[in-house]
Amino acid sequence: MSTFTILLGGDLIRTPRLDRQVKGSRVIAADAGIGHARLLGLVPELWVGDFDSVPANLPDDLASVPRRTFPAEKDQTDGELAIAAALERGATRLVLAGAFGGKRADHAFLHLALALRLAEAGTDVLLTSGAQEGIPLLRGTAGFDYADGTLFSVLGFSELDGLTVTGAKWPLAHVKVAFGSSLTISNEVKSDKTGGRLEIALGHGRAMLLAHPYPLPES
């Protein structure tokens, strides 16, 4: 599996979990996402974008990263262009670091939708801010390694059918969830008596698991 970390311009904190997720991966930065390279101690092999939001005072090793420059008026975001570059280079797994938050809610939503499209095409995708993670859910069963007490939600991007959630404070068994329902918001990981982990099965539809392994303190 060829893993690429895509550095996007949203919020990011460094955690031991994030360090493990990006360790050994190849790295591509999307415009302002180059600032996260300094945070994570990474040097990208490529820097993609229109470079309208380049951080000031970059160290020499980051300022000299090879660039692929695009016009400001274009049909794809810098993030999507960076992802395309990773796929061109053989990526089969993507870590989208800085996928949430930031100044543009539309970009954050795009990252969620784009991750689902990539997952449907067979690419393994993780979206992360360090504090929270997003993982596409498609038809089938998936297991997750979150600790007991981890807050999570299942955000439907369509009507969901046959949704089963085990290893949770509020389990579900083969339920149908209307598009836009809040039924699957704010659950918690809770191991069963056999120590089983969180598992989510989906019969039909598309959704996103949003988990909070490193919750930020309340402001």
Side-chain angles (χ1 to χ4, degrees):
M1 181 175 290
S2 180
T3 300
F4 277 71
T5 295
I6 308 298
L7 301 177
L8 301 169
D11 298 336
L12 196 69
I13 63 169
R14 186 172 184 176
T15 67
R17 182 180 178 89
L18 179 59
D19 283 344
R20 292 193 300 271
Q21 290 165 340
V22 304
K23 184 178 180 180
S25 68
R26 297 169 67 179
V27 182
I28 295 178
D31 208 339
I34 194 77
H36 295 323
R38 182 163 41 187
L39 171 70
L40 298 177
L42 302 173
V43 177
E45 65 185 63
L46 182 66
W47 189 5
V48 173
D50 53 28
F51 304 103
D52 63 350
S53 52
V54 175
N57 302 317
L58 284 177
D60 291 344
D61 59 343
L62 296 181
S64 61
V65 169
R67 301 188 185 195
R68 185 179 295 179
T69 304
F70 293 85
E73 295 182 356
K74 55 188 181 300
D75 295 331
Q76 294 174 289
T77 65
D78 295 329
E80 189 172 9
L81 290 167
I83 289 168
L87 295 175
E88 289 171 7
R89 295 176 181 223
T92 56
R93 180 174 184 269
L94 296 171
V95 178
L96 306 185
F100 305 120
K103 299 178 181 179
R104 297 286 300 271
D106 51 350
H107 283 206
F109 178 83
L110 171 68
H111 297 150
L112 294 169
L114 181 57
L116 282 166
R117 178 162 66 87
L118 290 165
E120 289 176 331
T123 301
D124 186 7
V125 185
L126 169 71
L127 305 94
T128 181
S129 69
Q132 62 180 331
E133 299 178 354
I135 301 173
L137 298 173
L138 304 176
R139 184 176 180 180
T141 302
F144 306 93
D145 65 348
Y146 297 116
D148 274 12
T150 300
L151 177 70
F152 74 92
S153 297
V154 175
L155 183 62
F157 278 69
S158 69
E159 180 180 271
L160 307 179
D161 199 7
L163 177 66
T164 297
V165 178
T166 57
K169 183 175 182 179
W170 292 286
L172 297 171
H174 304 289
V175 300
K176 178 178 287 188
V177 183
F179 177 60
S181 169
S182 63
L183 174 67
T184 53
I185 300 298
S186 296
N187 205 336
E188 292 180 20
V189 176
K190 183 178 180 181
S191 299
D192 60 24
K193 294 179 180 179
T194 64
R197 62 179 181 168
L198 175 66
E199 286 195 351
I200 300 175
L202 185 59
H204 179 76
R206 54 174 67 161
M208 183 73 64
L209 172 66
L210 292 176
H212 301 259
Y214 283 88
L216 296 175
E218 296 293 335
S219 57

